[in-house]
Structure formats: C-alpha cells, structure tokens
Amino acid sequence: MRLGLLSRPPEALPPSDRLTTFWWLWLPLACLLFLSVSSLLAPAWYEVWVNREDHGIELAQLVCITLALLVALAGLPLAWRRAPRWAFAWLLLAALCCLYVAGEEMSWGQHFFGWATPPEWARINDQNETNLHNTSSWFDQKPRFLLGLAVGLGGIGVPLLALRRPDLRQGRLALILPPLIGLPLAGIAMLVGAVWLFDNLRGRGSFFVRPSEVQELYFYAFVLLYLVVLRRRLAALPPPGVLT
C-alpha cells in the first residue's frame, strides 16, 4: 500500500519526510480499530482501562505530547544553527504549546503526585484540579478549536494542495509545511470529530465512548509526527558555512 493511498510514491518525497508506514498508517489505523471495537464490544472494560481518568487513552495522549515536546526541544539547537530565525521561533512556539498541553494533561504533576488543590483555586476550577483548562474556555475549548483547525488545514489541506502545486514544497515556507505522510493521522482526527458531532446530534454514542478524547489522541499524534519530520528536515540542512 505504501504511499499509494496518498497517490504519490515514497521516492517522490525527500528522505526527511519518509518514515515507515507502520508509524503513520498501520499503527494509527490499528489503534482506531481497537478503540472502536473495544468500546462497542466491551464497554465496561473500555470504561475502566481506556476511558477512565489517568488511564489508557489519557496516558497515550500524555505520552504523545510529551514526546512531541522532547522532539521540539531537540530540534531547537539545529534550528538556531541551520535555519532562519523565523523557523527557530516557529519551533520554539511549538515547544511552548506542547509544554502547555503536557502540563495541563497531568495538571502540572497533580495526577502523579496527588497534591491537594488550594481552596482558592478549587473555587474557579470546575474539576478541582491545578490546571488552567478547567477554569475558562479560553484555556480549553478555544485552543482546542485552533489545534483542530491547524490539523485540518495543515494536515489535510496543505498536503493535498501541494500535490496539485508541487512548487509549494520548494518555497520559503517549505521547511515548516506539514508532510504528506501526516494526511492519514489528520484524516482520522477529522473523521472522529465527525463521529463526535454525529453522536451529539443523535444524543447517544455510536463508534466510541467519548470520541472527543479519541480525537485529541490523534491531534497529539499528528503534532508528534509533524515535529519528528521537522527535526529531520532541520538535520538535513547544511551546517553553517557549507555551500550547497
């Protein structure tokens, strides 16, 4: 199957954008199948081991976004030495966003160390946790909407447009454009979002318990893949002073 699904052979991609299909196609599809089947056929088990707070799916989210943070941090020295300053700023912004999401996902350590929420903070946090995203939509729904928009436009729109206009991959922003191999992850995230909307309209579940959490997992997996490819692109740039 390779990149046939995406109508482009792997040889057409730069080496930095080539990863084995296991990571960007088969593993995401297998996880989607597992989550859907287990949610439908073993809802009690799914609720305890997958959907429960600080279990299964939320731990997977934390792993993905923490790995994304580490990859971004590892890419910063490369970006500083080899890329334009705007590219360094872009990667630094990505690292800060990953840090925020990772910190919020574990309530900045409360989920692991179990400290008590200060009474003053508990009054404004609707889940009695030491995080920001449960205090206002400005720290939760709105950033999530922006992330979903970025994944949809960047993960689906940009790669499809670049297939029709290959010159986009040669332009000034080529370094930071989302890779073609991110299309399956972005597509799955949007598909799960459609399931979530469908469930809300019907007032009952269909393919998943809490599809919003499943969608977040694929959002973070897309971010991780994007940053892995970006770091590989940075590593492929010539060192300072080396002519190409």
Side-chain angles (χ1 to χ4, degrees), residues 97 100-101 132-151 196 216 219-220:
C97 290
Y100 172 77
V101 174
L132 290 170
H133 71 273
N134 290 322
T135 63
S136 169
S137 65
W138 287 98
F139 299 113
D140 187 8
Q141 288 90 354
K142 289 178 175 61
R144 191 185 193 282
F145 172 79
L146 291 176
L147 176 59
L149 187 64
V151 171
W196 183 20
E216 279 189 20
F219 282 165
Y220 300 162

Side-chain angles (χ1 to χ4, degrees), residues 195-206:
V195 169
W196 183 20
L197 177 62
F198 182 63
D199 288 352
N200 287 336
L201 292 175
R202 294 200 314 162
R204 59 191 179 90
S206 54

Side-chain angles (χ1 to χ4, degrees), residues 3-115:
L3 277 174
L5 177 67
L6 308 181
S7 304
R8 188 163 182 161
E11 292 76 15
L13 298 175
S16 59
D17 287 26
R18 297 181 207 166
L19 296 174
T20 176
T21 52
F22 172 79
W23 295 110
W24 57 264
L25 182 61
W26 300 119
L27 182 59
L29 287 176
C31 288
L32 184 70
L33 181 63
F34 167 76
L35 291 170
S36 179
V37 170
S38 61
S39 175
L40 291 172
L41 300 184
W45 179 89
Y46 185 95
E47 182 61 34
V48 172
W49 295 105
V50 179
N51 191 48
R52 184 178 166 188
E53 186 85 8
D54 301 333
H55 281 61
I57 198 164
E58 293 200 5
L59 284 177
Q61 292 172 356
L62 180 59
V63 167
C64 281
I65 202 64
T66 301
L67 288 175
L69 170 61
L70 294 176
V71 171
L73 293 175
L76 285 174
L78 287 171
W80 182 259
R81 294 194 304 267
R82 302 186 180 190
R85 288 294 172 259
W86 62 264
F88 174 84
W90 175 257
L91 187 58
L92 178 61
L93 176 61
L96 292 174
C97 290
C98 290
L99 175 63
Y100 172 77
V101 174
E104 288 292 297
E105 285 292 339
M106 61 178 177
S107 292
W108 301 97
Q110 186 180 34
H111 290 181
F112 295 108
F113 300 106
W115 61 64

Side-chain angles (χ1 to χ4, degrees), residues 222-237:
F222 174 84
V223 171
L224 173 58
L225 177 68
Y226 170 75
L227 290 173
V228 166
V229 171
L230 179 54
R231 187 191 179 282
R232 287 163 61 95
R233 290 174 180 173
L234 291 168
L237 293 176

